[in-house]
Amino acid sequence: MAKKDFSKYFKKPNMKESKKRSYLEVEKVDGTIDNKFLNLGKFKTYYLRTYGCQMNEHDTEIIAGILEQMKFKRTDKPEEADILLFNTCAIRANSENKVIGEIGRLSYLKKFNPDIIFGLCGCMSQESEIVDKILKTYTFIDLIFGTHNIHRLPILLSEAMFNKVRVIEVWSQEGEIVENLPKSRSSQKSAWVNIIYGCDKFCTYCIVPYTRGKERSRSKDDILFEIKKLKEDGFMEVTLLGQNVNAYGKDLNNNYTMANLLEDAAKIGIDRVRFTTSHPWDFDDEMVEIIGKYDNIMPHIHLPVQSGNNEILKIMGRSYTREMYIELFKKLKKAKPNINITTDIIVGYPNETTKQFLDTISLYEECKFDGAFSFIYSPREGTPAAKMNDNIPLEVKKERLYELHEVINKYSKASYEKEKDKIVDVLVIGPSNKNKNILAGYTGKNQLVLLPGSYDLIDNIVQVKIDKPRNTALLGIYIENKIEE
Ligand code: 5AD
Ligand code: SF4
């Protein structure tokens, strides 16, 4: 049967709408899945691929949870799947190109089996330009749903499956906070916990405030209940998640801040508490104090700086200066002397001069970061920076990125070398990707450790003596008996 073009669910995104911020209070709703959808996936399989950040990884756990409650079974082989879903990232053009390439490559599957459902969700689905392109060019895509529509998946999927129509539902603005959605977690020891959705910072280069909506904090009771439950279920690590976690609570107007939440989370007594990502602007002294006070708040902070030049920071709309960043950096090092600090940097911002770029290098030399993600600026349609003229050739940007990499590598190597001969706690997560005879895990500082050992060590925090620091990992030896200090 030929596919009807659109269903009653046809709502495309609109970037102008997604920029708007409503001051209405955000309601909380229950996301428990209606019984009528619970057998929809019987004898069917799904393939789900994730691109992008931790937020997306956790959304994938929720999407998988929903599908599994509907009795779909997961497969990692796209050619076996009845449903193929791509949870996408829009942060840079190359993130999008990867998705488009992969979907195009798998489109042949539809020729063999016209009944399979191809779906796209995540940040790319929130972009009007992308959705228009898909509607025109990628006609084999049956389902598009936005970051605010995940809880609607059972309805949308059943419509696409039974009515053989193209279903598009992307709300440009956020809806309610949906609690009680099922989750199929990828680890049974380390869990993501959403604390705040969206972002109101509107850095001039960034598409996230458009794709993820306004800042909405979950209630402290829901968050702390989730962490307590995770602890009871044997989880050893939680990572509090948000685009800008330090803004937690500001929208709730109840004087309960990120510092309060972090302290209450630490007090639950789970072995490891982490949080990501922090914006330096919202990072107050109470937060610094709490990080120093609790040993189970892990000694690693990801604190994106983006640039070391004040003019560029201003054009980026980052609201802090180089000096303010360095002051915060020093406070954190003082409060928790063993802390590792990593960062994000963008090079080649429109019209960035050599001098401005060298300020970033000098900031890096001053902070000696333990690691960094670095990117060439990528214009994002609809953001203010995309409208700026840019007189810096791509070749120059590539040279700058290369020069920055040299500095990043120098300090990250030094950071790994500092661990030599130390005995560190490692949460063993499984066999290493490259060598199944070696185990992989992470230290409190979030450094990758590779060690020989039996699979019984997986999902435990064990002591490891670091004997060979390498450039991107620490090689160590498992110590059988915990050494009492
Ligand atoms: N171009 C390049 N890098 C970007 N980032 C965000 N938006 C862009 C863009 N348009 C980087 C920032 C951010 C990280 C997640 O991605 O460094 O911290
Ligand atoms: Fe995550 Fe941002 Fe990429 Fe969306 S655009 S997946 S929020 S990094």
Side-chain angles (χ1 to χ4, degrees):
M1 187 175 65
K3 183 157 271 194
K4 283 185 265 165
D5 216 6
F6 299 113
S7 80
K8 59 184 171 184
Y9 302 106
F10 181 70
K11 178 99 189 91
K12 291 200 307 177
N14 175 319
M15 293 287 275
K16 280 210 181 88
E17 282 296 307
S18 58
K19 195 177 171 183
K20 288 187 191 152
R21 289 300 183 256
S22 109
Y23 294 98
L24 295 175
E25 213 173 290
V26 178
E27 302 278 316
K28 179 172 108 174
V29 294
D30 179 35
T32 307
I33 295 173
D34 197 314
N35 281 342
K36 69 177 182 228
F37 298 115
L38 293 186
N39 285 319
L40 206 73
K42 236 180 175 171
F43 311 118
K44 290 195 159 59
T45 52
Y46 74 97
Y47 169 83
L48 176 53
R49 173 119 193 234
T50 319
Y51 300 80
C53 65
Q54 293 97 333
M55 210 71 168
N56 257 19
E57 278 180 39
H58 188 40
D59 281 351
T60 283
E61 293 182 335
I62 296 171
I63 294 167
I66 296 174
L67 291 172
E68 283 165 27
Q69 219 169 69
M70 294 164 74
K71 303 209 174 48
F72 286 97
K73 287 226 156 40
R74 192 163 188 159
T75 171
D76 55 6
K77 298 191 181 76
E79 59 282 2
E80 282 177 1
D82 300 288
I83 309 233
L84 291 101
L85 271 182
F86 299 83
N87 190 8
T88 63
C89 172
I91 200 101
R92 284 170 291 277
N94 57 5
S95 330
E96 293 184 349
N97 294 341
K98 266 192 236 160
V99 175
I100 298 283
E102 184 63 2
I103 295 180
R105 194 182 70 75
L106 291 172
S107 60
Y108 74 93
L109 293 171
K110 194 88 178 178
K111 293 200 183 98
F112 295 119
N113 179 2
D115 285 336
I116 58 175
I117 304 272
F118 260 87
L120 188 103
C121 57
C123 287
M124 278 170 75
S125 62
Q126 293 292 140
E127 294 180 281
S128 37
E129 201 197 3
I130 295 281
V131 172
D132 285 339
K133 182 170 160 184
I134 288 173
L135 290 179
K136 232 168 64 207
T137 323
Y138 296 87
T139 45
F140 58 90
I141 293 193
D142 311 279
L143 169 67
I144 304 178
F145 60 98
T147 59
H148 308 305
N149 307 69
I150 292 177
H151 61 294
R152 306 256 310 150
L153 181 57
I155 297 179
L156 304 177
L157 191 55
S158 61
E159 170 87 353
M161 282 167 70
F162 295 122
N163 293 339
K164 308 268 177 222
V165 280
R166 276 184 113 182
V167 175
I168 289 111
E169 188 182 88
V170 184
W171 295 339
S172 300
Q173 287 192 299
E174 62 290 329
E176 303 92 349
I177 287 188
V178 188
E179 292 292 344
N180 306 328
L181 284 170
K183 299 179 185 91
S184 171
R185 295 193 184 268
S186 57
S187 156
Q188 290 314 302
K189 295 293 156 186
S190 178
W192 308 111
V193 175
N194 279 326
I195 63 166
I196 179 168
Y197 304 99
C199 177
D200 287 345
K201 282 282 174 285
F202 286 102
C203 300
T204 50
Y205 51 84
C206 189
I207 198 158
V208 171
Y210 308 82
T211 61
R212 292 277 174 175
K214 80 165 179 175
E215 284 172 1
R216 291 102 66 209
S217 302
R218 279 178 79 197
S219 91
K220 87 180 232 262
D221 293 342
D222 287 330
I223 298 168
L224 296 174
F225 180 79
E226 184 173 346
I227 300 174
K228 279 185 199 140
K229 180 83 181 46
L230 287 164
K231 181 168 185 263
E232 277 166 29
D233 291 346
F235 279 79
M236 292 188 283
E237 180 172 86
V238 289
T239 303
L240 311 183
L241 261 190
Q243 303 298 345
N244 173 15
V245 287
N246 302 72
Y248 175 78
K250 293 194 172 173
D251 54 313
L252 298 178
N253 296 317
N254 59 6
N255 289 326
Y256 186 85
T257 63
M258 177 62 188
N260 302 136
L261 179 69
L262 192 58
E263 176 157 36
D264 285 342
K267 278 186 183 160
I268 290 173
I270 203 151
D271 297 85
R272 294 178 160 201
V273 178
R274 303 182 183 277
F275 54 92
T276 196
T277 294
S278 294
H279 190 298
W281 176 246
D282 290 310
F283 215 117
D284 58 24
D285 287 348
E286 284 76 44
M287 266 288 281
V288 177
E289 191 197 318
I290 299 298
I291 290 165
K293 186 167 159 193
Y294 288 90
D295 285 344
N296 63 341
I297 299 179
M298 289 298 100
H300 169 237
I301 292 200
H302 188 63
L303 193 63
V305 64
Q306 313 299 359
S307 164
N309 174 270
N310 283 338
E311 291 133 359
I312 295 284
L313 285 171
K314 193 157 183 209
I315 311 171
M316 285 178 164
R318 293 291 288 175
S319 29
Y320 56 84
T321 59
R322 170 191 175 107
E323 293 72 26
M324 286 156 82
Y325 183 92
I326 293 174
E327 195 188 326
L328 172 61
F329 183 94
K330 286 186 178 155
K331 277 186 196 165
L332 283 163
K333 288 272 177 188
K334 191 160 166 229
K336 208 167 180 99
N338 63 338
I339 204 164
N340 266 17
I341 303 183
T342 54
T343 199
D344 287 345
I345 291 177
I346 298 177
V347 301
Y349 211 61
N351 307 315
E352 181 192 56
T353 64
T354 306
K355 149 99 186 45
Q356 289 169 333
F357 165 67
L358 290 176
D359 281 346
T360 297
I361 297 283
S362 81
L363 175 104
Y364 208 100
E365 298 273 1
E366 191 168 342
C367 294
K368 304 181 176 48
F369 290 104
D370 296 283
F373 297 110
S374 52
F375 315 100
I376 292 181
Y377 164 70
S378 168
R380 305 286 63 216
E381 181 79 25
T383 62
K387 296 189 195 84
M388 295 177 195
N389 283 330
D390 187 2
N391 61 21
I392 311 294
L394 184 60
E395 270 319 300
V396 173
K397 297 187 184 206
K398 283 187 182 161
E399 279 162 25
R400 287 182 188 167
L401 188 68
Y402 182 77
E403 192 174 333
L404 177 62
H405 277 170
E406 302 270 286
V407 182
I408 293 175
N409 292 344
K410 178 170 84 183
Y411 288 110
S412 106
K413 189 164 183 252
S415 171
Y416 283 111
E417 268 164 12
K418 274 196 281 185
E419 302 304 302
K420 184 161 168 51
D421 298 329
K422 283 191 194 163
I423 292 171
V424 293
D425 284 338
V426 176
L427 172 54
V428 182
I429 55 165
S432 124
N433 288 339
K434 288 191 189 140
N435 179 349
K436 298 288 167 233
N437 298 319
I438 297 281
L439 299 174
Y442 286 91
T443 66
K445 293 180 180 179
N446 216 19
Q447 290 177 314
L448 174 66
V449 176
L450 301 172
L451 64 148
S454 112
Y455 277 22
D456 294 345
L457 300 183
I458 294 170
D459 285 345
N460 289 294
I461 295 179
V462 300
Q463 291 206 310
V464 176
K465 174 149 188 209
I466 302 304
D467 59 349
K468 290 190 191 108
R470 292 282 185 256
N471 290 347
T472 52
L474 302 166
L475 309 190
I477 296 162
Y478 165 57
I479 300 185
E480 301 271 338
N481 299 311
K482 206 173 164 131
I483 298 166
E484 299 297 337
E485 297 195 355

